[in-house]
């Protein structure tokens, strides 16, 4: 923070460690103290890291706008190595091919960082026992799936929409996707199919859309097989 900007991926990882990974570590410790059940702190941190990188990516434009009045302050949470030699203003405002390439590079860089944590994050949720810690399992599953659905959405709309900050292109709709996700998680926790679903979902995310309607692999087409008792 004293450097007033993030220059490298290591800087970003350090920032994420302090603002989010330690939250995952703390939640794991709370489970140990209150429920006497030991979960992996390393895996808990991986889940927290995905959530933070997802928030950084989908809020990129909002963060830039919030700091527009303070040009000398730390600009965003984007490692400068992803878009150098451009300035932050060029990154957001320029229509040059160089700027478009830089925006794509930033997006792909953040996506790669988040993606590396998916296996450990999923294994953390899988390690939470459904019988003893169903509420905590639902909480973690209800955090991981929306984050991954957000990445699917942002991947479809592309870096240009992400950097323009078009809200419906960045955040899953709370009236449809989020409602479907939370309702679905409640049921698969109840019928003890959460682990089998998560394994299948991680292997083939494109086969599972939580959107309702006529879109490919819509929620209504595949969810019944998992909701049956």
């Amino acid at each position: 923070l004293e450097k007033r900007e993030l220059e490298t991926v290591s800087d970003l990882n350090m920032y994420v460690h302090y603002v989010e990974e330690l939250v995952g570590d703390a939640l794991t410790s709370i489970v140990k103290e209150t429920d006497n059940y030991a979960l992996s702190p390393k895996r808990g941190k991986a889940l927290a890291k995905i959530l933070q990188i997802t928030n950084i990516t989908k809020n990129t434009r909002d963060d830039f706008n919030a700091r527009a009045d303070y040009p000398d302050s730390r600009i965003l949470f984007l490692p400068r190595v992803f878009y150098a030699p451009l300035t932050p203003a060029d990154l957001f405002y320029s229509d040059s091919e160089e700027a478009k390439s830089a925006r794509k590079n930033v997006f792909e860089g953040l996506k790669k960082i988040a993606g590396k944590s998916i296996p450990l994050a999923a294994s953390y949720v899988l390690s939470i026992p459904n019988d003893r810690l169903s509420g905590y399992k639902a909480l973690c599953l209800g955090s991981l799936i929306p984050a991954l659905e957000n990445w699917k959405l942002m991947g479809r709309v592309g870096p240009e929409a992400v950097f323009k900050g078009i809200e419906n292109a960045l955040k899953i709709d709370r009236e449809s996707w989020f409602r479907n996700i939370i309702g679905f998680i409640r049921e698969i926790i109840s019928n003890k199919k959460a682990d089998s679903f998560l394994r299948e979902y991680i292997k083939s995310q494109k086969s599972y859309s939580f959107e309702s309607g006529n879109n490919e692999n819509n929620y209504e087409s595949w969810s019944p097989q998992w909701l049956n008792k």
Side-chain angles (χ1 to χ4, degrees):
L1 293 178
E2 289 179 354
K3 290 192 293 185
R4 305 179 75 81
E5 68 178 23
L6 301 181
E7 296 178 354
T8 67
V9 173
S10 293
D11 289 340
L12 175 62
N13 286 332
M14 182 180 296
Y15 169 77
V16 172
H17 170 73
Y18 282 111
V19 303
E20 191 68 20
E21 283 186 339
L22 292 182
V23 175
D25 192 15
L27 289 174
T28 301
S29 298
I30 290 171
V31 169
K32 180 66 173 67
E33 292 298 320
T34 60
D35 300 281
N36 194 31
Y37 195 88
L39 296 167
S40 166
K42 183 178 181 180
R43 294 176 182 179
K45 290 178 181 178
L47 174 59
K49 185 170 188 175
I50 286 179
L51 303 183
Q52 183 64 20
I53 296 297
T54 304
N55 283 336
I56 287 172
T57 307
K58 70 182 184 180
N59 294 323
T60 292
R61 186 61 183 235
D62 287 343
D63 288 339
F64 178 78
N65 290 342
R67 290 162 174 76
D69 293 333
Y70 305 96
D72 295 327
S73 70
R74 177 174 48 83
I75 302 296
L76 310 174
F77 307 102
L78 310 178
R80 189 174 288 275
V81 67
F82 284 160
Y83 60 92
L86 299 181
T87 67
D90 289 335
L91 181 66
F92 281 86
Y93 294 132
S94 176
D95 291 326
S96 70
E97 291 304 313
E98 184 181 17
K100 291 177 181 178
S101 177
R103 288 191 283 268
K104 180 179 179 181
N105 192 49
V106 171
F107 179 78
E108 294 297 331
L110 294 174
K111 182 180 179 180
K112 183 177 180 180
I113 293 171
K116 285 182 177 179
S117 293
I118 291 176
L120 273 182
S123 67
Y124 182 74
V125 180
L126 290 168
S127 72
I128 303 169
N130 200 99
D131 53 346
R132 292 184 58 180
L133 297 168
S134 60
Y136 186 60
K137 192 178 188 77
L139 172 68
C140 292
L141 195 57
S143 301
L144 177 60
I145 290 180
L148 297 181
E149 288 298 301
N150 249 124
W151 278 106
K152 286 161 63 176
L153 173 61
M154 290 188 292
R156 288 202 303 270
V157 301
E160 292 303 303
V162 170
F163 274 85
K164 288 178 182 176
I166 303 171
E167 186 168 353
N168 62 3
L170 299 178
K171 302 175 183 179
I172 59 175
D173 182 76
R174 298 190 68 85
E175 293 302 317
S176 57
W177 292 20
F178 196 72
R179 181 187 59 209
N180 289 343
I181 291 171
I182 297 306
F184 181 77
I185 289 172
R186 182 179 62 245
E187 292 300 320
I188 61 173
I189 290 290
S190 177
N191 65 24
K192 296 180 171 45
K193 293 183 179 180
D195 287 351
S196 55
F197 172 76
L198 182 56
R199 291 188 183 99
E200 289 296 319
Y201 176 76
I202 293 298
K203 283 194 302 183
S204 183
Q205 292 183 46
K206 292 181 179 179
S207 299
Y208 299 95
S209 171
F210 283 89
E211 289 182 272
S212 296
N214 298 320
N215 57 300
E216 185 178 5
N217 300 319
N218 67 72
Y219 176 71
E220 290 78 11
S221 69
W222 61 263
S223 60
Q225 64 177 306
W226 296 98
L227 298 177
N228 294 331
K229 299 281 185 179

